[in-house]
Amino acid sequence: MKYYYDIKEATKACAKGEELIFAINEKNRYSLFLFTFYQYKYKTNKEFKHISYQKPKDLLYYFLRLVSRISLGYYKLTYDYK
């Protein structure tokens, strides 16, 4: 699986059917909320199922962790902050 840091490129890769990991860091922490816009722009309903959280834990991390637990393993969140 390939890591993507740009939500636009990740959406294009999803539309092509690639398996990927979207990595959230300090620069792109709010770009996750643009994903729906880019899905509409590239006319796809495919999504990525794995997020790598690469910054200190904050409210967004705990929200994503809640979503991954509610989804019963459909979405995966890993904490990779160094």
Side-chain angles (χ1 to χ4, degrees):
M1 282 197 202
K2 186 174 178 186
Y3 281 84
Y4 283 88
Y5 293 91
D6 182 21
I7 194 68
K8 186 176 182 179
E9 296 300 320
T11 309
K12 285 181 185 179
C14 281
K16 293 177 185 175
E18 292 181 31
E19 291 290 323
L20 63 103
I21 299 172
F22 182 67
I24 295 178
N25 56 23
E26 286 293 331
K27 292 185 208 176
N28 68 355
R29 63 181 170 200
Y30 298 118
S31 69
L32 182 64
F33 299 106
L34 292 173
F35 182 64
T36 305
F37 168 74
Y38 286 120
Q39 277 184 314
Y40 180 72
K41 183 177 178 179
Y42 296 114
K43 296 177 178 78
T44 183
N45 61 355
K46 295 181 181 176
E47 56 196 21
F48 51 87
K49 296 177 180 110
H50 189 166
I51 295 176
S52 173
Y53 206 81
Q54 299 177 352
K55 62 185 231 79
K57 292 180 182 178
D58 57 2
L59 187 61
L60 179 61
Y61 171 79
Y62 293 108
F63 175 72
L64 292 172
R65 189 172 86 172
L66 175 69
V67 170
S68 71
R69 289 191 177 175
I70 290 173
S71 73
L72 301 173
Y74 186 75
Y75 296 108
K76 184 176 179 182
L77 176 69
T78 55
Y79 184 68
D80 299 323
Y81 182 67
K82 296 171 179 125

